[in-house]
Coordinates of all heavy atoms in Angstrom, one line a residue:
M1 N 83.3 84.2 108.1 CA 82.3 84.5 109.1 C 83.0 84.8 110.4 O 84.0 84.2 110.7 CB 81.5 83.2 109.2 CG 80.3 83.5 110.2 SD 79.3 82.2 110.9 CE 79.0 81.0 109.8
N2 N 82.4 85.8 111.2 CA 82.9 86.1 112.4 C 82.4 85.2 113.5 O 81.2 85.2 113.7 CB 82.4 87.6 112.6 CG 83.1 88.1 113.9 OD1 83.7 87.4 114.7 ND2 82.9 89.4 114.2
P3 N 83.2 84.5 114.2 CA 82.7 83.5 115.3 C 82.4 84.3 116.5 O 82.0 83.5 117.4 CB 84.0 82.7 115.4 CG 85.2 83.5 115.1 CD 84.7 84.4 114.0
K4 N 82.6 85.6 116.7 CA 82.2 86.2 117.9 C 80.8 86.2 118.2 O 80.0 86.3 117.3 CB 82.7 87.6 117.8 CG 82.6 88.4 119.1 CD 83.1 89.8 119.0 CE 82.8 90.6 120.2 NZ 83.2 92.0 120.2
D5 N 80.3 86.0 119.4 CA 79.1 86.0 119.9 C 78.4 87.2 119.6 O 78.8 88.2 120.2 CB 78.9 85.4 121.3 CG 77.4 85.1 121.7 OD1 76.5 85.7 121.1 OD2 77.2 84.3 122.7
I6 N 77.3 87.3 118.9 CA 76.6 88.6 118.6 C 76.0 89.2 119.8 O 75.9 90.4 119.9 CB 75.5 88.3 117.5 CG1 75.1 89.7 116.8 CG2 74.4 87.7 118.0 CD1 74.3 89.4 115.6
R7 N 75.7 88.5 120.8 CA 75.1 88.9 122.0 C 76.1 89.8 122.8 O 75.7 90.6 123.7 CB 74.6 87.8 122.9 CG 73.4 87.1 122.3 CD 73.1 85.9 123.0 NE 74.1 84.9 122.9 CZ 74.1 83.7 123.4 NH1 73.0 83.3 124.1 NH2 75.1 82.8 123.1
T8 N 77.4 89.7 122.4 CA 78.4 90.5 123.2 C 78.8 91.7 122.5 O 79.7 92.5 122.9 CB 79.6 89.7 123.5 OG1 80.2 89.3 122.2 CG2 79.4 88.4 124.3
S9 N 78.1 92.1 121.5 CA 78.4 93.3 120.7 C 78.1 94.6 121.5 O 77.2 94.6 122.3 CB 77.5 93.4 119.4 OG 77.6 94.6 118.7
S10 N 79.0 95.6 121.3 CA 78.8 96.9 121.9 C 77.5 97.7 121.3 O 77.1 98.6 121.9 CB 80.1 97.6 121.9 OG 80.3 97.9 120.5
D11 N 77.1 97.2 120.2 CA 76.0 97.9 119.4 C 74.7 97.2 120.0 O 74.4 96.1 119.8 CB 76.0 97.7 118.0 CG 74.9 98.3 117.2 OD1 73.8 98.5 117.9 OD2 75.0 98.5 116.1
P12 N 73.9 97.9 120.8 CA 72.7 97.3 121.4 C 71.7 96.7 120.4 O 71.0 95.8 120.7 CB 72.1 98.4 122.3 CG 72.7 99.8 121.7 CD 74.0 99.4 121.2
D13 N 71.6 97.4 119.3 CA 70.7 96.8 118.3 C 71.2 95.4 117.8 O 70.4 94.5 117.6 CB 70.5 97.8 117.1 CG 69.8 99.0 117.4 OD1 68.9 99.0 118.4 OD2 70.0 100.0 116.7
L14 N 72.5 95.4 117.6 CA 73.0 94.2 117.1 C 73.0 93.0 118.2 O 72.6 91.9 117.9 CB 74.6 94.3 116.8 CG 75.2 93.2 116.0 CD1 74.4 92.8 114.7 CD2 76.7 93.6 115.6
A15 N 73.3 93.4 119.4 CA 73.2 92.5 120.6 C 71.7 92.0 120.7 O 71.5 90.8 121.0 CB 73.7 93.1 121.9
G16 N 70.8 92.8 120.5 CA 69.4 92.5 120.8 C 68.8 91.7 119.6 O 67.7 91.1 119.7
S17 N 69.5 91.7 118.5 CA 69.0 91.0 117.3 C 68.9 89.5 117.6 O 68.1 88.8 117.0 CB 69.8 91.3 116.0 OG 71.1 90.7 116.1
Y18 N 69.8 89.0 118.4 CA 69.9 87.6 118.8 C 68.5 87.2 119.3 O 67.9 86.2 119.0 CB 71.1 87.3 119.7 CG 71.1 85.7 120.0 CD1 71.8 84.9 119.1 CD2 70.6 85.3 121.1 CE1 71.8 83.5 119.4 CE2 70.6 83.9 121.5 CZ 71.3 83.1 120.5 OH 71.5 81.7 120.8
A19 N 68.0 87.9 120.3 CA 66.8 87.7 121.0 C 65.6 87.7 120.0 O 64.7 87.0 120.1 CB 66.5 88.6 122.2
A20 N 65.8 88.7 119.1 CA 64.7 88.9 118.0 C 64.6 87.6 117.1 O 63.5 87.1 116.8 CB 65.0 90.1 117.2
I21 N 65.8 87.1 116.8 CA 65.8 85.9 115.9 C 65.2 84.7 116.6 O 64.4 83.9 116.1 CB 67.3 85.6 115.5 CG1 67.9 86.7 114.6 CG2 67.4 84.2 115.0 CD1 69.2 86.6 114.2
L22 N 65.5 84.6 118.0 CA 64.9 83.5 118.8 C 63.3 83.7 118.8 O 62.7 82.7 118.7 CB 65.5 83.5 120.1 CG 67.0 83.0 120.2 CD1 67.4 83.0 121.7 CD2 67.1 81.7 119.6
R23 N 62.9 84.9 119.0 CA 61.5 85.2 119.0 C 60.8 84.8 117.7 O 59.7 84.2 117.6 CB 61.2 86.6 119.4 CG 61.4 86.9 120.8 CD 60.8 88.3 121.2 NE 61.3 89.4 120.4 CZ 62.4 90.1 120.6 NH1 63.1 89.8 121.6 NH2 62.7 91.1 119.8
A24 N 61.4 85.1 116.6 CA 61.0 84.8 115.3 C 60.9 83.3 115.1 O 60.0 82.8 114.4 CB 61.8 85.5 114.2
A25 N 61.9 82.6 115.5 CA 61.9 81.1 115.4 C 60.8 80.5 116.2 O 60.1 79.7 115.7 CB 63.3 80.6 115.9
R26 N 60.6 81.0 117.4 CA 59.5 80.5 118.2 C 58.1 80.8 117.6 O 57.2 79.9 117.6 CB 59.4 81.2 119.7 CG 58.5 80.7 120.6 CD 58.7 79.3 121.0 NE 57.9 78.8 122.0 CZ 58.2 77.9 122.9 NH1 59.4 77.3 122.8 NH2 57.4 77.6 123.9
S27 N 58.0 82.0 116.9 CA 56.8 82.4 116.2 C 56.5 81.4 115.1 O 55.3 81.0 114.9 CB 56.8 83.9 115.9 OG 55.6 84.2 115.1
A28 N 57.6 81.1 114.3 CA 57.5 80.2 113.2 C 57.1 78.8 113.7 O 56.2 78.2 113.1 CB 58.8 80.1 112.4
E29 N 57.6 78.3 114.8 CA 57.2 77.1 115.3 C 55.7 77.1 115.7 O 55.0 76.1 115.5 CB 58.0 76.7 116.6 CG 59.6 76.5 116.1 CD 60.4 76.5 117.4 OE1 59.9 76.4 118.5 OE2 61.6 76.5 117.2
D30 N 55.3 78.2 116.4 CA 53.9 78.2 116.9 C 52.9 78.2 115.7 O 52.0 77.5 115.7 CB 53.7 79.6 117.6 CG 54.4 79.6 119.0 OD1 54.8 78.6 119.5 OD2 54.5 80.8 119.5
L31 N 53.3 78.9 114.6 CA 52.5 78.8 113.4 C 52.4 77.4 112.7 O 51.4 77.0 112.3 CB 52.9 79.9 112.5 CG 52.0 80.1 111.2 CD1 50.6 80.5 111.6 CD2 52.7 81.1 110.3
A32 N 53.5 76.8 112.7 CA 53.7 75.5 112.2 C 52.8 74.5 112.9 O 52.0 73.7 112.4 CB 55.1 75.0 112.1
I33 N 52.8 74.7 114.3 CA 52.0 73.8 115.1 C 50.5 74.1 114.9 O 49.7 73.2 114.7 CB 52.4 73.9 116.5 CG1 53.8 73.2 116.8 CG2 51.4 73.2 117.5 CD1 54.4 73.6 118.1
K34 N 50.2 75.4 114.9 CA 48.8 75.7 114.8 C 48.2 75.4 113.5 O 47.0 75.0 113.4 CB 48.7 77.3 114.9 CG 47.4 77.9 114.9 CD 47.3 79.4 115.0 CE 45.9 79.9 115.0 NZ 46.0 81.4 115.2
T35 N 49.0 75.4 112.4 CA 48.4 75.1 111.1 C 48.9 73.6 110.6 O 48.5 73.2 109.5 CB 49.0 76.1 110.0 OG1 50.4 76.0 110.0 CG2 48.6 77.4 110.3
N36 N 49.5 72.9 111.5 CA 49.8 71.5 111.2 C 50.7 71.4 109.9 O 50.5 70.6 109.1 CB 48.7 70.6 111.1 CG 49.0 69.1 111.2 OD1 50.0 68.7 111.9 ND2 48.3 68.3 110.6
T37 N 51.7 72.3 109.9 CA 52.6 72.2 108.8 C 54.1 72.0 109.3 O 54.2 72.0 110.5 CB 52.5 73.6 107.9 OG1 52.9 74.7 108.9 CG2 51.2 73.8 107.3
S38 N 55.0 71.9 108.3 CA 56.4 71.7 108.6 C 57.2 73.0 108.5 O 56.7 74.0 107.9 CB 57.0 70.7 107.7 OG 56.3 69.4 107.8
I39 N 58.3 73.0 109.1 CA 59.2 74.1 109.0 C 60.6 73.4 108.6 O 60.8 72.3 108.8 CB 59.5 75.0 110.2 CG1 60.0 74.2 111.4 CG2 58.2 75.7 110.5 CD1 60.3 75.1 112.6
L40 N 61.4 74.2 107.8 CA 62.7 73.8 107.5 C 63.8 74.5 108.4 O 63.7 75.7 108.5 CB 63.1 74.1 106.1 CG 62.3 73.2 105.0 CD1 62.6 73.7 103.6 CD2 62.7 71.8 105.1
V41 N 64.7 73.7 109.0 CA 65.7 74.3 109.8 C 67.1 73.8 109.2 O 67.1 72.8 108.5 CB 65.6 74.0 111.2 CG1 64.3 74.6 111.8 CG2 65.6 72.4 111.4
S42 N 68.2 74.5 109.6 CA 69.5 74.1 109.2 C 70.2 73.5 110.3 O 70.3 74.2 111.3 CB 70.3 75.3 108.5 OG 71.5 74.9 108.1
L43 N 70.7 72.3 110.2 CA 71.4 71.6 111.3 C 72.8 71.2 110.6 O 72.7 70.3 109.8 CB 70.7 70.5 111.9 CG 69.4 70.8 112.6 CD1 68.6 69.4 113.0 CD2 69.6 71.5 113.8
D44 N 73.8 71.8 111.2 CA 75.1 71.4 110.7 C 75.3 71.5 109.1 O 75.8 70.7 108.5 CB 75.5 69.9 111.1 CG 75.7 69.7 112.6 OD1 76.1 70.7 113.3 OD2 75.3 68.7 113.1
G45 N 74.6 72.6 108.7 CA 74.6 72.9 107.3 C 73.7 72.1 106.4 O 73.8 72.3 105.2
K46 N 73.0 71.2 107.0 CA 72.0 70.5 106.2 C 70.6 70.9 106.5 O 70.2 71.2 107.7 CB 72.2 69.0 106.5 CG 73.5 68.5 106.2 CD 73.5 67.0 106.2 CE 75.1 66.5 105.9 NZ 75.5 66.5 104.7
D47 N 69.7 70.9 105.5 CA 68.3 71.3 105.7 C 67.5 70.0 106.2 O 67.7 69.0 105.8 CB 67.7 71.7 104.3 CG 68.3 73.0 103.9 OD1 68.7 73.7 104.6 OD2 68.1 73.2 102.7
V48 N 66.8 70.3 107.3 CA 66.0 69.3 108.0 C 64.6 69.8 108.0 O 64.3 70.9 108.5 CB 66.6 69.0 109.4 CG1 65.7 67.9 110.1 CG2 68.0 68.5 109.3
E49 N 63.6 68.9 107.7 CA 62.2 69.3 107.8 C 61.7 68.7 109.1 O 61.8 67.6 109.5 CB 61.4 68.6 106.7 CG 59.9 69.0 106.7 CD 59.1 68.3 105.6 OE1 59.7 67.6 104.8 OE2 58.0 68.7 105.5
L50 N 61.0 69.6 109.9 CA 60.4 69.3 111.1 C 58.9 69.4 111.0 O 58.4 70.6 110.7 CB 60.9 70.1 112.3 CG 62.4 70.1 112.6 CD1 62.8 70.9 113.7 CD2 62.8 68.6 113.0
T51 N 58.2 68.4 111.2 CA 56.8 68.5 111.2 C 56.2 69.1 112.4 O 56.9 69.2 113.5 CB 56.1 67.1 111.0 OG1 56.3 66.3 112.2 CG2 56.7 66.3 109.8
A52 N 55.0 69.4 112.4 CA 54.3 69.9 113.6 C 54.4 68.9 114.8 O 54.6 69.3 116.0 CB 52.8 70.3 113.4
A53 N 54.2 67.7 114.5 CA 54.4 66.7 115.5 C 55.7 66.6 116.1 O 56.0 66.4 117.3 CB 54.0 65.3 114.9
D54 N 56.7 66.8 115.2 CA 58.1 66.8 115.6 C 58.4 68.0 116.6 O 59.0 67.9 117.7 CB 59.1 67.0 114.5 CG 59.2 65.8 113.6 OD1 58.9 64.6 114.0 OD2 59.6 66.1 112.4
L55 N 57.8 69.2 116.3 CA 58.0 70.3 117.1 C 57.3 70.2 118.4 O 57.9 70.6 119.5 CB 57.4 71.6 116.4 CG 58.2 72.0 115.2 CD1 57.4 73.0 114.3 CD2 59.5 72.5 115.5
I56 N 56.1 69.6 118.4 CA 55.4 69.3 119.7 C 56.2 68.4 120.6 O 56.4 68.7 121.8 CB 53.9 68.8 119.4 CG1 53.1 69.9 118.8 CG2 53.3 68.3 120.7 CD1 51.8 69.4 118.2
K57 N 56.8 67.4 120.0 CA 57.5 66.4 120.7 C 58.8 67.1 121.3 O 59.1 66.8 122.5 CB 57.9 65.2 119.9 CG 58.7 64.2 120.5 CD 59.1 63.0 119.6 CE 59.9 62.0 120.4 NZ 60.5 61.0 119.5
L58 N 59.5 67.8 120.5 CA 60.7 68.5 120.9 C 60.4 69.5 122.1 O 61.2 69.6 123.0 CB 61.4 69.2 119.8 CG 62.0 68.3 118.7 CD1 62.4 69.1 117.6 CD2 63.2 67.6 119.4
R59 N 59.2 70.2 122.0 CA 58.9 71.1 123.1 C 58.6 70.4 124.3 O 59.0 70.8 125.4 CB 57.7 72.0 122.7 CG 58.1 73.1 121.7 CD 57.0 74.0 121.5 NE 57.4 75.1 120.6 CZ 56.6 76.1 120.3 NH1 55.3 76.2 120.8 NH2 57.0 77.0 119.5
D60 N 57.9 69.3 124.2 CA 57.6 68.4 125.4 C 58.8 68.0 126.1 O 59.0 68.1 127.3 CB 56.7 67.3 125.1 CG 55.3 67.7 124.8 OD1 54.9 68.8 125.1 OD2 54.6 66.8 124.2
E61 N 59.8 67.5 125.3 CA 61.1 67.1 125.8 C 61.9 68.2 126.4 O 62.4 68.0 127.6 CB 62.0 66.4 124.7 CG 61.4 65.1 124.2 CD 62.2 64.6 123.0 OE1 63.1 65.3 122.5 OE2 61.7 63.5 122.4
E62 N 61.8 69.3 125.8 CA 62.5 70.5 126.4 C 61.9 70.9 127.8 O 62.6 71.2 128.7 CB 62.4 71.7 125.4 CG 63.0 73.0 126.0 CD 62.7 74.2 125.0 OE1 61.7 74.1 124.4 OE2 63.5 75.0 125.1
A63 N 60.6 70.9 127.8 CA 59.9 71.3 129.0 C 60.3 70.3 130.2 O 60.3 70.7 131.3 CB 58.5 71.3 128.8
H64 N 60.4 69.0 129.9 CA 60.7 68.0 130.9 C 62.1 67.9 131.3 O 62.5 67.3 132.3 CB 60.1 66.7 130.5 CG 58.6 66.7 130.6 ND1 57.8 66.9 129.4 CD2 57.7 66.5 131.5 CE1 56.6 66.9 129.7 NE2 56.5 66.6 131.0
S65 N 63.1 68.3 130.3 CA 64.4 68.0 130.5 C 65.3 69.2 131.1 O 66.3 69.0 131.6 CB 65.1 67.5 129.3 OG 65.1 68.5 128.3
S66 N 64.9 70.4 130.8 CA 65.7 71.5 131.2 C 64.9 72.7 131.5 O 63.8 72.9 130.9 CB 66.8 71.8 130.1 OG 66.2 72.1 129.0
R67 N 65.4 73.7 132.2 CA 64.9 74.9 132.4 C 65.8 76.0 132.0 O 66.8 76.4 132.7 CB 64.6 75.1 134.0 CG 63.6 74.1 134.5 CD 62.2 74.2 134.0 NE 61.3 73.3 134.5 CZ 60.6 72.5 133.8 NH1 60.5 72.6 132.6 NH2 59.7 71.7 134.3
H68 N 65.7 76.5 130.7 CA 66.6 77.5 130.3 C 66.2 78.9 130.7 O 65.1 79.2 130.8 CB 66.6 77.5 128.6 CG 67.1 76.2 128.1 ND1 68.5 75.9 128.2 CD2 66.6 75.2 127.6 CE1 68.7 74.7 127.7 NE2 67.5 74.3 127.3
Q69 N 67.2 79.8 130.8 CA 67.0 81.2 131.2 C 66.4 81.9 130.0 O 65.8 83.0 130.0 CB 68.2 81.9 131.8 CG 68.5 81.3 133.2 CD 69.7 82.1 133.7 OE1 70.3 82.8 133.0 NE2 70.0 81.9 135.0
Y70 N 66.9 81.5 128.8 CA 66.4 82.1 127.6 C 65.9 81.0 126.7 O 66.2 79.7 126.8 CB 67.6 82.9 126.8 CG 68.8 82.0 126.5 CD1 68.8 81.4 125.2 CD2 69.8 81.6 127.4 CE1 69.9 80.6 124.8 CE2 70.8 80.8 127.0 CZ 70.8 80.3 125.7 OH 71.9 79.4 125.3
Y71 N 65.2 81.4 125.7 CA 64.6 80.4 124.7 C 65.6 80.0 123.7 O 66.3 80.7 123.0 CB 63.4 80.9 124.1 CG 62.9 80.0 123.0 CD1 62.2 78.9 123.3 CD2 63.0 80.4 121.6 CE1 61.7 78.0 122.2 CE2 62.5 79.5 120.6 CZ 62.0 78.4 121.0 OH 61.5 77.5 120.0
A72 N 65.7 78.6 123.6 CA 66.6 78.1 122.5 C 65.6 77.2 121.7 O 64.9 76.4 122.3 CB 67.7 77.2 123.0
P73 N 65.6 77.4 120.4 CA 64.7 76.5 119.5 C 64.9 75.1 119.8 O 66.1 74.7 119.9 CB 65.0 76.9 118.1 CG 65.7 78.2 118.2 CD 66.4 78.3 119.6
P74 N 63.8 74.3 120.0 CA 64.0 72.9 120.4 C 64.8 72.2 119.2 O 65.5 71.2 119.6 CB 62.7 72.4 120.4 CG 61.8 73.4 119.8 CD 62.5 74.7 119.9
W75 N 64.7 72.6 118.0 CA 65.4 71.8 117.0 C 67.0 72.1 117.1 O 67.8 71.4 116.5 CB 65.0 72.2 115.6 CG 64.6 73.7 115.4 CD1 63.4 74.2 115.5 CD2 65.5 74.7 115.0 NE1 63.4 75.6 115.3 CE2 64.8 75.9 115.0 CE3 66.8 74.8 114.9 CZ2 65.3 77.1 114.7 CZ3 67.4 76.0 114.5 CH2 66.6 77.2 114.5
S76 N 67.3 73.2 117.8 CA 68.8 73.5 117.9 C 69.5 72.4 118.8 O 70.7 72.4 118.8 CB 69.0 74.8 118.6 OG 68.6 74.8 119.9
Q77 N 68.7 71.5 119.5 CA 69.3 70.5 120.3 C 69.4 69.1 119.7 O 69.7 68.2 120.3 CB 68.7 70.4 121.6 CG 68.6 71.8 122.4 CD 67.8 71.9 123.5 OE1 67.1 70.9 123.9 NE2 67.6 73.1 124.0
I78 N 68.8 69.0 118.5 CA 68.7 67.7 117.8 C 70.1 67.3 117.5 O 71.0 68.0 116.9 CB 67.9 67.8 116.5 CG1 66.4 68.2 116.8 CG2 67.9 66.5 115.8 CD1 65.6 68.4 115.7
K79 N 70.4 66.1 117.8 CA 71.7 65.5 117.4 C 71.5 64.3 116.4 O 70.5 63.8 116.3 CB 72.3 64.9 118.7 CG 72.7 65.9 119.7 CD 73.4 65.4 120.9 CE 73.8 66.5 121.9 NZ 72.8 67.3 122.4
G80 N 72.5 64.1 115.7 CA 72.6 62.9 114.8 C 72.0 63.2 113.4 O 71.7 62.3 112.6
H81 N 71.8 64.5 113.1 CA 71.3 64.8 111.7 C 72.6 65.3 110.9 O 72.8 66.4 110.8 CB 70.3 65.9 111.8 CG 69.0 65.6 112.3 ND1 68.1 64.8 111.5 CD2 68.4 65.7 113.5 CE1 67.0 64.5 112.2 NE2 67.2 65.0 113.4
N82 N 73.2 64.3 110.3 CA 74.4 64.6 109.6 C 74.2 64.4 108.2 O 73.6 63.5 107.7 CB 75.7 63.9 110.0 CG 76.0 64.2 111.5 OD1 75.5 65.1 112.1 ND2 76.8 63.3 112.1

């Protein structure tokens, strides 16, 4: 696997794909919350199920704890899932 940050690619389509992935993640979260279903995410190589309630809680925590210039999925900040 190439550890280079994809956002620094000289190919604008490749560099823009990172933002597209984040938008897709946000859309999946929105749908899970709207339909009260779970999503599966990978944390440190392990599959973790996040319920709609988990997503709502994580978004609330994100809104109160930090102001990011770009969207980072709230589950990307979960610690302790080993």
